[in-house]
Amino acid sequence: MEHGKLVKDMRLVIGGTAQGKLTFAKEFVEKSYADYSGYRENEGNSCRIVDETYTKLEELYEATIINHFHLIVRRMLSEKVDISEIVEQIVLQNPQVILVTTEIGYGIVPIDKFERNYREQTGRICCTIAKKSQEVYRITCGIPMQLK
């Protein structure tokens, strides 16, 4: 992926566990449907949410919201899938998606090699997505702060 290239309408929502990230993303989509007729409309304005339990990669390319993105990264790493290629395809095929992810880079560095790699890869991928996103939000206690 070419770093820094802005993708029209892509958003990244980050924050700790149980802080209201998905609620914020859903409300954002509802407002977007009401305010911006050009926003992606899936099946008559329904919000399609995909998470780490997806069955086909195409679901990631058609989602309105990709939830638990950090767990998708974990799944792909454990399945030895090239995550950078998948992210590239998400950016190309679904540029209006809202990616929701939990911050996992705080705290003690894991002793387990896979866990360290997962944490590092997730952070690097989220940095790339943040650079490409039109807007980035951090949610704390249900309160959104726009970072970008």
Side-chain angles (χ1 to χ4, degrees), residues 39-74:
Y39 195 82
R40 172 190 221 108
E41 295 183 17
N42 290 325
E43 301 175 14
N45 288 343
S46 66
C47 180
R48 183 177 298 160
I49 301 170
V50 176
D51 63 18
E52 73 280 7
T53 63
Y54 67 89
T55 55
K56 302 179 296 186
L57 286 175
E58 290 74 26
E59 293 175 56
L60 300 173
Y61 310 144
E62 299 169 354
T64 309
I65 297 171
I66 298 176
N67 193 32
H68 297 156
F69 184 71
H70 62 291
L71 296 178
I72 291 171
V73 172
R74 175 188 279 282

Side-chain angles (χ1 to χ4, degrees), residues 8-63:
K8 186 180 183 322
D9 293 330
M10 181 175 275
R11 274 130 180 117
L12 177 63
V13 179
I14 63 171
T17 301
Q19 295 296 306
K21 299 179 299 292
L22 182 57
T23 299
F24 171 79
K26 287 179 184 178
E27 289 170 355
F28 189 93
V29 170
E30 288 175 18
K31 185 177 182 330
S32 295
Y33 285 147
D35 293 348
Y36 178 48
S37 62
Y39 195 82
R40 172 190 221 108
E41 295 183 17
N42 290 325
E43 301 175 14
N45 288 343
S46 66
C47 180
R48 183 177 298 160
I49 301 170
V50 176
D51 63 18
E52 73 280 7
T53 63
Y54 67 89
T55 55
K56 302 179 296 186
L57 286 175
E58 290 74 26
E59 293 175 56
L60 300 173
Y61 310 144
E62 299 169 354

Side-chain angles (χ1 to χ4, degrees), residues 55-147:
T55 55
K56 302 179 296 186
L57 286 175
E58 290 74 26
E59 293 175 56
L60 300 173
Y61 310 144
E62 299 169 354
T64 309
I65 297 171
I66 298 176
N67 193 32
H68 297 156
F69 184 71
H70 62 291
L71 296 178
I72 291 171
V73 172
R74 175 188 279 282
R75 175 180 169 181
M76 290 183 183
L77 288 172
S78 68
E79 294 174 354
K80 300 192 183 336
V81 174
D82 182 2
I83 185 69
S84 61
E85 178 58 31
I86 303 303
V87 171
E88 181 70 30
Q89 289 305 310
I90 290 170
V91 169
L92 291 172
Q93 295 186 41
N94 196 1
Q96 294 175 320
V97 70
I98 299 174
L99 289 152
V100 178
T101 190
T102 298
E103 294 176 316
I104 60 171
Y106 297 118
I108 298 170
V109 177
I111 228 168
D112 181 76
K113 184 178 180 180
F114 176 83
E115 293 297 321
R116 280 193 316 273
N117 183 48
Y118 156 60
R119 184 170 124 155
E120 182 176 334
Q121 291 299 318
T122 301
R124 292 185 189 284
I125 289 164
C126 286
C127 286
T128 298
I129 291 169
K131 287 178 186 174
K132 292 179 173 286
S133 293
Q134 180 176 338
E135 296 174 350
V136 177
Y137 295 90
R138 168 181 270 150
I139 311 299
T140 304
C141 298
I143 301 169
M145 290 188 325
Q146 188 169 0
L147 304 176

